[in-house]
Amino acid sequence: DLQSFGMMRTVVAALLLSLSATADAFAPTFGARLAATPRGAISRPSMRPRVALGLRMIEEDNTALSEFVRDGKAMSLLAKEKLYLDCCASFNTEGEASPLSDDEFEALKTDLTFEGSRVMLMTREEIKFMSAKSRYNEGKPILPDDEFDSLRQKLKKQGSYAVMHEAASCRVDPETGKAVCKSDLFSDEGKNAILYTPALVLSALLFNEWAFWFRGWDPLFSLILGAPFIAALTYTLTNFIYFQSPFVTKAICPECSTPQNIFFGDVLWVSGGVNNAVTTQCTNKACACTLTGYKDRMIVESIKD
């Protein structure tokens, strides 16, 4: 066995040395060929004269890189995301020409994916919402108001970050003359899951005891077989016995930006806020402003005199 192990080590070492020698032999040739290639000889996607968009190849530390350029200048990530949304908006608007050709659009998608843009991870509905919002800000709406509002509410219920804003915004109420600041509410998935822990432990323990003493089942087998019953009992205890319509959200205070949680629901039938609106105070004692959370709109507001 020791002799076989020694022979195996020898073979692996020889193979690694061979691969290393091959890489060393090809590296200078590849580097020289890359350095000798003129920049204009590198193939590029077809560019339209009106916008002059495309990929520009650059060399850095003997490595070939590419960047998306417009009129010979590198575009920022924000500008490329805006251009991508404009292309999507033109695709959904009848009679409007796309600002990019197919090759340019594919190159833009590749560049945004390489830079880790969040836009490339959005769903079709999120892209539609972002495109409509961008066109609305430009004074060129592409969706009716009712369709835009329904799409926004749908995405907000899904917890989409396309309609969520971590920063607070403020405005002056024209009727009262008071400053109203608001920020978005987010579902706190971790704490919502923790709410089910007491009922889950109790349900699993009760079913295991019943299965062991009355059926003689193995505890592990009873957990697998009784999973549907345990899940149903856990849901019932959590949503109708221990709590009533529980929902934990997280947000930042619109006044001081302190992170905090807002709980919607009742605990053991002690009224807390089953309704859509809950009034609480900021957890920051230096601020202590009054906050009103709205479950249906998923926002929290503070009113200043």
Side-chain angles (χ1 to χ4, degrees), residues 12-287:
V12 172
L15 181 60
L16 291 176
L17 288 175
S18 177
L19 292 175
S20 177
T22 304
D24 292 340
F26 278 98
T29 304
F30 177 75
R33 184 169 51 192
L34 180 62
T37 303
R39 185 167 300 182
I42 299 177
S43 60
R44 306 179 187 179
S46 58
M47 302 180 185
R48 298 185 181 182
R50 53 193 169 101
V51 287
L53 289 157
L55 280 174
R56 179 174 66 189
M57 304 301 295
I58 59 176
E59 297 175 13
E60 182 178 340
D61 297 332
N62 294 328
T63 303
L65 303 174
S66 63
E67 59 181 3
F68 204 83
V69 296
R70 182 170 189 167
D71 296 328
K73 298 180 181 179
M75 299 176 64
S76 64
L77 178 60
L78 184 61
K80 286 184 283 189
E81 290 176 341
K82 175 67 168 56
L83 180 60
Y84 177 80
L85 294 176
D86 287 340
C87 293
C88 295
S90 63
F91 178 78
N92 294 320
T93 304
E94 185 177 357
E96 182 176 343
S98 174
L100 298 179
S101 66
D102 292 342
D103 292 339
E104 292 168 346
F105 184 69
E106 291 298 326
L108 178 60
K109 287 171 59 178
T110 302
D111 192 83
L112 288 174
T113 303
F114 180 78
E115 291 198 29
S117 172
R118 285 189 176 184
V119 174
M120 302 308 298
L121 301 177
M122 290 184 176
T123 63
R124 183 185 299 271
E125 290 183 336
E126 289 174 332
I127 290 292
K128 183 179 180 180
F129 172 80
M130 295 294 292
S131 301
K133 184 178 180 181
S134 176
R135 286 301 177 90
Y136 179 82
N137 293 333
E138 295 175 359
K140 305 174 183 177
I142 60 176
L143 286 180
D145 292 344
D146 55 348
E147 184 178 350
F148 180 82
D149 292 338
S150 62
L151 179 60
R152 186 177 186 274
Q153 290 298 328
K154 180 180 179 181
L155 292 175
K156 203 157 191 178
K157 289 180 180 179
Q158 294 175 355
S160 171
Y161 284 92
V163 295
M164 297 291 189
H165 305 282
E166 295 183 359
S169 60
C170 297
R171 63 179 176 84
V172 177
D173 191 340
E175 297 181 357
T176 62
K178 297 181 179 180
V180 179
C181 298
K182 64 180 181 179
S183 61
D184 286 322
L185 286 173
F186 298 85
S187 174
D188 196 329
E189 302 296 342
K191 292 184 179 179
N192 281 316
I194 291 176
L195 292 179
Y196 288 86
T197 303
L200 176 62
V201 173
L202 179 61
S203 301
L205 183 61
L206 289 176
F207 187 83
N208 261 348
E209 290 294 320
W210 175 84
F212 179 78
W213 291 107
F214 294 94
R215 297 294 180 181
W217 292 350
D218 180 78
L220 181 59
F221 175 75
S222 64
L223 284 177
I224 298 174
L225 191 63
F229 172 79
I230 294 173
L233 184 58
T234 299
Y235 181 84
T236 302
L237 289 175
T238 301
N239 290 276
F240 302 103
I241 307 299
Y242 295 155
F243 309 98
Q244 287 73 49
S245 302
F247 184 54
V248 183
T249 61
K250 58 184 178 181
I252 61 170
C253 175
E255 299 290 340
C256 63
S257 299
T258 301
Q260 52 201 295
N261 292 105
I262 297 179
F263 177 76
F264 294 90
D266 294 344
V267 180
L268 294 176
W269 297 281
V270 177
S271 180
V274 175
N275 297 327
N276 285 324
V278 170
T279 301
T280 182
Q281 279 191 329
C282 177
T283 56
N284 184 2
K285 295 182 179 179
C287 176

